[in-house]
Amino acid sequence: LPIQNMIRNSHTLHACGNPTYFSLRGATPTDTDKRNYELIKEYWTDRNIDGVRTKAVHTQNGVGDAGVLFYINRKQEIKCRLISYEDGYDIITHKDDNGEHILECVHYYGDDGLETVDCYDDTYLHRLVKAADGWERTDIEHGFDEIPLATKRGDVAWNGVQSLIDVYEIMYNIYTVIEKRHGWGILYVRGKFKDEAREIAGNVILNDTSVDGNGKVEAISAPSSQGITDYLDGLWKNIMRCSNTTFILPEDIRSSGDISGLAVMLTQMLDLEEANRVVAEWQNFMDKMLRLFMQGLAKELVKKGINEYAVTEFARLRMSAKLKVWRPFNETEYNQMLVTLKG
């Protein structure tokens, strides 16, 4: 049963179901600040940075860590890509005594099959390639003011319920085997019958020829499975509670009328509590993604002649980016409901 993947998808949806929320800070932003603010948001959307962000959250929920590497491509455009263990990359983070990242390393095997380690500091990419006679090192300026790799490490989404999932799967398989062997019931026949029976209108007629005449035919059903079914239901509910995940199926909605999004949202309070925790936990990651994107975009605009002052203007721009928790209701409808109730 893909329970782990279901939990992973649910956590990712609630954390990344909405576009990134941007805000322009500062008491009196200038007209230039406002134009640049809108321009950055447009390029963020055009380059599908939200898609990479969502993949990063989904990957970390599944394997424990993830990274997003920003780079300038051959067309002098700012781009980024996911660095994931699922794709063959191992992320190794080096920190100082205060927990600040001073070096981010990525271990992988290149297209040529050679073992490679890319080490990023605030200025250089130090590439180490294992050759026949040892490691060869190449130093390349990456063009950013800080390490161009944003990383996040944490527990997988189902970490707290793996033992419950193991028990559920074992009991479910045992139940399936029992049902397969004994769940069909049996036809119990007692008495003395001839080897050949008559058939009338599709029905088999058995004549008991015993002296005492105590023959009978009885359909015996399998024992009730209600006990194990209740046990599996209890396990399933505990998996949802302990993983802060709510799985709602059509049969769970027992009303013939419309179900409001607000009612569903209240049902998913555990999911939303977890999502709010995740949003706070990923804030430093989002801040770094935005800083790197703004640095790369400013240099792109300068090189393309679109805005020769972009580097200076973007450097003084006070802009933030945040994940916004996804909720299963429309905010406009919710606000309209509040207005109606007040009236």
Side-chain angles (χ1 to χ4, degrees):
L1 298 173
I3 299 175
Q4 293 93 336
N5 196 46
M6 294 166 63
I7 296 173
R8 178 187 187 184
N9 291 339
S10 178
H11 284 200
T12 303
L13 170 64
H14 284 284
C16 301
N18 285 314
T20 299
Y21 175 76
F22 295 98
S23 60
L24 181 60
R25 295 175 295 151
T28 56
T30 65
D31 291 339
T32 300
D33 291 339
K34 294 177 182 178
R35 286 196 302 270
N36 288 332
Y37 171 69
E38 295 298 331
L39 184 66
I40 291 169
K41 292 197 297 182
E42 290 177 8
Y43 273 92
W44 182 282
T45 301
D46 293 342
R47 301 287 163 85
N48 191 29
I49 308 301
D50 274 357
V52 180
R53 171 214 66 180
T54 301
K55 288 181 180 179
V57 175
H58 188 259
T59 298
Q60 192 277 315
N61 279 334
V63 299
D65 63 6
V68 174
L69 176 64
F70 283 83
Y71 63 95
I72 305 295
N73 68 6
R74 64 182 184 278
K75 296 180 180 179
Q76 301 302 314
E77 297 173 337
I78 178 65
K79 292 292 183 71
C80 65
R81 65 187 181 95
L82 181 67
I83 302 296
S84 166
Y85 179 80
E86 293 177 320
D87 296 327
Y89 298 96
D90 296 314
I91 300 174
I92 307 164
T93 301
H94 297 270
K95 303 178 182 180
D96 61 16
D97 294 338
N98 296 317
E100 298 286 341
H101 293 209
I102 57 176
L103 194 67
E104 295 282 4
C105 300
V106 181
H107 173 268
Y108 62 97
Y109 289 88
D111 296 335
D112 51 7
L114 296 178
E115 186 175 4
T116 305
V117 180
D118 289 344
C119 301
Y120 298 90
D121 60 21
D122 290 338
T123 306
Y124 292 98
L125 157 62
H126 308 282
R127 175 161 292 168
L128 306 174
V129 180
K130 190 174 184 179
D133 55 350
W135 290 89
E136 297 179 356
R137 171 176 166 175
T138 304
D139 297 330
I140 308 168
E141 288 193 31
H142 52 63
F144 294 87
D145 296 339
E146 59 181 310
I147 299 172
L149 177 61
T151 60
K152 178 69 174 66
R153 180 171 280 106
D155 293 332
V156 295
W158 62 89
N159 186 64
V161 294
Q162 182 57 54
S163 58
L164 288 175
I165 293 174
D166 291 339
V167 173
Y168 186 90
E169 291 178 334
I170 291 171
M171 295 305 298
Y172 187 87
N173 289 327
I174 292 174
Y175 171 66
T176 302
V177 171
I178 292 174
E179 284 292 297
K180 183 177 180 181
R181 291 182 178 179
H182 309 293
W184 303 102
I186 61 174
L187 182 66
Y188 175 67
V189 180
R190 185 179 69 183
K192 184 178 180 181
F193 303 97
K194 294 182 180 180
D195 294 338
E196 296 181 359
R198 292 187 302 161
E199 184 174 342
I200 300 176
N203 298 311
V204 177
I205 307 300
L206 297 174
N207 293 317
D208 181 20
T209 60
S210 60
V211 176
D212 54 13
N214 291 327
K216 71 173 182 178
V217 178
E218 182 181 359
I220 301 177
S221 61
S224 173
S225 60
Q226 190 61 43
I228 192 169
T229 301
D230 291 343
Y231 180 66
L232 288 174
D233 287 342
L235 277 175
W236 185 250
K237 290 176 181 177
N238 282 326
I239 289 173
M240 289 195 291
R241 290 190 189 102
C242 297
S243 65
N244 293 319
T245 311
T246 306
F247 302 119
I248 299 179
L249 299 175
E251 58 265 28
D252 296 324
I253 301 176
R254 306 181 185 277
S255 172
S256 58
D258 293 335
I259 303 298
S260 70
L262 181 59
V264 176
M265 185 190 73
L266 293 174
T267 304
Q268 295 185 323
M269 282 304 297
L270 289 175
D271 307 66
L272 300 179
E273 289 173 4
E274 173 66 14
N276 278 293
R277 184 194 66 80
V278 169
V279 166
E281 194 174 273
W282 280 79
Q283 188 55 54
N284 289 338
F285 183 91
M286 293 300 300
D287 288 340
K288 184 166 185 177
M289 280 191 68
L290 179 61
R291 290 197 305 270
L292 292 171
F293 182 76
M294 289 174 62
Q295 290 176 25
L297 180 59
K299 293 182 178 182
E300 175 184 336
L301 297 178
V302 170
K303 290 180 180 179
K304 290 184 175 181
I306 298 175
N307 181 0
E308 59 180 324
Y309 305 108
V311 173
T312 303
E313 292 175 357
F314 283 18
R316 69 166 183 259
L317 192 63
R318 300 183 62 192
M319 185 174 175
S320 64
K322 297 181 180 180
L323 295 173
K324 184 179 181 182
V325 175
W326 178 84
R327 304 168 188 269
F329 77 104
N330 185 283
E331 291 185 353
T332 302
E333 294 178 359
Y334 178 69
N335 293 335
Q336 182 61 41
M337 181 190 69
L338 294 179
V339 172
T340 303
L341 291 174
K342 183 178 180 181

